[in-house]
Amino acid sequence: MPPPKPGSTDAYSMILDAIDTGIYRPGDRLVESELAERFGVSRTPIREALQRLETQSLLSRDGRSLIVASLDHNQTAELYVVRGELEGLAARLAARHATPEEIRVLREMVSADDALVGDPTALARSNRRFHKQIHLASHNRYLVQQLDLVYRSMALMATTSLAAEGRGEIAQAEHDRIVACIEARDEGGAEEALRSHISVAFVTRLKQEAARLETEG
């Protein structure tokens, strides 16, 4: 496949960000003309971006329409397994390689995010930035690339686990523990703390899905 043209790359990034921030949610139909108008670009780069997103399984076909894909239970479980393994490794490497400046940024992120606990949407955005900072602090470009793919698929989840009652406060405490281990250069502790953090998030999401199905039933 030839590399995407600059215009289509911009359109791709804008559509992906719109999915990631919940402007377009799983099941929503994406229409070329509407996207071109929203983002102020021509339909050609929009079309190329949609084709790229479909190839990456972020969009699926519903008849002749393209819709934002959704993850079933098994896909979600598989994604969390991979996420736990990769993020645990990122935390271990961050404890080994992070610069003092990177650790300071992580600590400041945790402190700043305490003010967002009552706003799940804002906290979820900041949560992604926090995890991305850990990925970068691993100083392993290949690991960062793989985690970018994981987080791209995470955007296909309709809700954030941070919306669950009390989850924001718990997640903040977990983030604090992760950073403390990285600060202490405790590689095993950092890996275990981040793996545990992902496991708790998965359990929370499973409970959210069970409650949703019960309501619909």
Side-chain angles (χ1 to χ4, degrees):
M1 179 181 294
K5 301 173 185 177
S8 62
T9 301
D10 293 341
Y12 169 86
S13 297
M14 289 188 288
I15 297 170
L16 186 61
D17 185 64
I19 295 171
D20 192 41
T21 56
I23 294 173
Y24 297 112
R25 305 177 72 81
D28 286 352
R29 189 164 66 101
L30 299 185
V31 180
E32 278 184 24
S33 57
E34 294 175 1
L35 291 168
E37 183 176 354
R38 171 185 284 272
F39 297 122
V41 297
S42 68
R43 292 178 65 167
T44 298
I46 291 292
R47 185 178 306 116
E48 293 171 350
L50 292 177
Q51 290 171 348
R52 184 179 173 192
L53 288 162
E54 183 181 10
T55 299
Q56 295 173 338
S57 300
L58 295 175
L59 303 180
S60 58
R61 288 279 172 183
D62 182 18
R64 298 184 62 182
S65 300
L66 278 174
I67 62 172
V68 179
S70 58
L71 301 178
D72 62 24
H73 174 83
N74 288 338
Q75 289 172 309
T76 300
E78 291 163 9
L79 186 60
Y80 267 94
V81 168
V82 172
R83 185 185 174 197
E85 293 289 332
L86 295 182
E87 294 232 52
L89 176 58
R92 171 178 285 276
L93 293 177
R96 185 184 309 170
H97 297 301
T99 65
E101 293 81 6
E102 287 172 322
I103 295 172
R104 179 180 175 182
V105 168
L106 285 169
R107 175 55 65 197
E108 290 176 351
M109 283 181 166
V110 174
S111 297
D113 289 350
D114 285 340
L116 302 178
V117 167
D119 185 346
T121 300
L123 188 59
R125 285 196 296 268
S126 192
N127 178 69
R128 285 192 291 272
R129 289 193 293 270
F130 173 80
H131 281 266
K132 178 69 172 185
Q133 186 62 34
I134 292 176
H135 306 166
L136 294 172
S138 75
H139 291 267
N140 187 304
R141 72 194 69 184
Y142 301 104
L143 179 57
V144 172
Q145 289 171 359
Q146 294 306 309
L147 281 163
D148 282 348
L149 292 174
V150 169
Y151 270 74
R152 198 175 296 163
S153 296
M154 292 289 294
L156 301 179
M157 295 181 179
T159 59
T160 171
S161 61
L162 293 168
E165 185 176 356
R167 177 59 190 151
E169 291 90 343
I170 294 171
Q172 280 297 100
E174 292 166 350
H175 283 185
D176 183 76
R177 181 184 169 210
I178 293 164
V179 176
C181 289
I182 293 173
E183 285 175 322
R185 303 298 183 182
D186 179 358
E187 296 181 21
E191 179 173 6
E192 190 279 330
L194 214 157
R195 281 174 175 265
S196 175
H197 174 59
I198 300 302
S199 177
V200 174
F202 184 34
V203 169
T204 302
R205 191 173 292 281
L206 289 174
K207 290 179 179 177
Q208 286 176 313
E209 182 63 13
R212 183 186 66 81
L213 293 173
E214 183 178 1
T215 301
E216 291 179 353

